[in-house]
Amino acid sequence: MMLLHRPKRGVRAVRRPAGLWLPLAWLLLAAAVPLAARAAPGSAIAWPVILFPDKHLSPYWVAELIVQNKIPMQIQAFDIDGDTRQARRFYQEWLGGKSDFSETTLEGIPILGARDGHFRITVEFRPLPSGKQQVRISSAWLHGAVPQLVSEQLQRRSYLAVPMGTDEFSDTFSFDADRVNRTTVWGNTLSVEANELYIREQALVAGWTVLSRKTIQGGTRAQVVLRRGGQEAVIALAHNGVGCSIVISNTLPQA
């Protein structure tokens, strides 16, 4: 066994809006890169120690800190060649000794989970396009009083208005050295055009500047890029025949 060695830092994670009704947290985590040096708000949390089955592995951060729908999370991973039987046996034994152990398969992906103090540790075995297997380990705070890592001021600064009657599906904060990204996923039954007009006009009233606007595929998709001071927001809208999805990715200074 070995403990996780913190990877070298420096590259900022790529964040991109995609999908119609999917929670965006997992889309944000598609590019697994280390976060940069300044301590994130969750650095005071006593995160669980994650064990790995082989000292020769090269673990990396998928996300050193995200706050998904107010829940703090860390996600780490490593890639292996061949099958995952040895790694699965390792995590079955390790997590099997903890409380609330479970093992299941979701859409062909084996998933193991157990409780460790305030946290739920989950291990997923995901095939990669390269032919390798990614073993992804997440620690999510799911038990007890949740630490408040996102201030009311940050909530206000990162908010963009959407039409009344719009449902929120996901709200994700991720932290970098001197930046924070908030990505929200919304849905309603209005047209792409109506949503784009409302969000853009409300943004202009709030002091934003429109950097670009683009509508494609006969008005069923649109993108707006806004800037206000040190903030930049990308709004992606898409209609799927039933309703309209709205993905807002807003990047701003932490301070």
Side-chain angles (χ1 to χ4, degrees), residues 12 17 24 36 43 71 73 76 90 103 113 118 125 136 141 144 154 164 168 186 217 219 229 241 251:
R12 181 172 297 170
L24 247 285
S43 59
I71 302 299
M73 298 177 65
Q76 305 159 51
F90 175 86
E103 185 172 7
H118 291 293
F125 299 84
R136 180 178 292 195
W141 188 300
L154 180 55
M164 291 187 63
E168 182 181 89
W186 308 80
Q217 296 184 3
T251 303

Side-chain angles (χ1 to χ4, degrees), residues 45-193:
I45 292 177
W47 296 95
V49 175
I50 302 301
L51 301 183
F52 296 88
D54 191 322
K55 66 181 180 180
H56 300 296
L57 294 170
S58 299
Y60 53 85
W61 289 109
V62 176
E64 197 166 358
L65 175 66
I66 61 172
V67 179
Q68 165 69 18
N69 296 333
K70 300 182 180 180
I71 302 299
M73 298 177 65
Q74 283 190 335
I75 304 178
Q76 305 159 51
F78 60 90
D79 301 338
I80 55 177
D81 293 310
D83 63 53
T84 60
R85 284 177 293 184
Q86 180 180 354
R88 286 180 66 176
R89 284 195 299 269
F90 175 86
Y91 286 110
Q92 285 168 343
E93 293 178 5
W94 179 47
L95 295 179
K98 300 181 182 296
S99 60
D100 300 333
F101 174 74
S102 65
E103 185 172 7
T104 187
T105 300
L106 180 63
E107 297 182 353
I109 298 175
I111 302 174
L112 287 69
R115 176 175 174 174
D116 187 338
H118 291 293
F119 299 89
R120 180 75 179 175
I121 299 176
T122 304
V123 182
E124 303 178 33
F125 299 84
R126 297 169 168 266
L128 297 173
S130 64
K132 292 186 176 184
Q133 297 284 331
Q134 182 192 65
V135 183
R136 180 178 292 195
I137 308 105
S138 63
S139 305
W141 188 300
L142 295 180
H143 304 277
V146 179
Q148 299 300 310
L149 302 183
V150 180
S151 67
E152 291 185 6
Q153 180 187 20
L154 180 55
Q155 291 270 357
R156 291 193 299 270
R157 289 171 58 220
S158 59
Y159 178 75
L160 278 164
V162 296
M164 291 187 63
T166 301
D167 295 317
E168 182 181 89
F169 298 123
S170 181
D171 186 7
T172 304
F173 287 85
S174 58
F175 300 87
D176 208 334
D178 58 352
R179 311 287 291 176
V180 59
N181 176 273
R182 183 183 193 180
T183 297
T184 49
V185 184
W186 308 80
N188 60 33
T189 57
L190 300 176
S191 67
V192 168
E193 181 182 18

Side-chain angles (χ1 to χ4, degrees), residues 160-161 194-208 210 224 226:
L160 278 164
N195 277 302
E196 189 271 340
L197 179 63
Y198 181 90
I199 295 170
R200 177 167 46 85
E201 289 190 344
Q202 292 299 310
L204 291 172
V205 170
W208 291 83
V210 177
V224 182
L226 305 171

Side-chain angles (χ1 to χ4, degrees), residues 10-16 28-29 31-36 62-63 174 176:
V11 181
R12 181 172 297 170
V14 176
R15 305 180 179 92
R16 58 185 180 190
L28 286 174
L29 302 174
V33 294
L35 298 182
V62 176
S174 58
D176 208 334

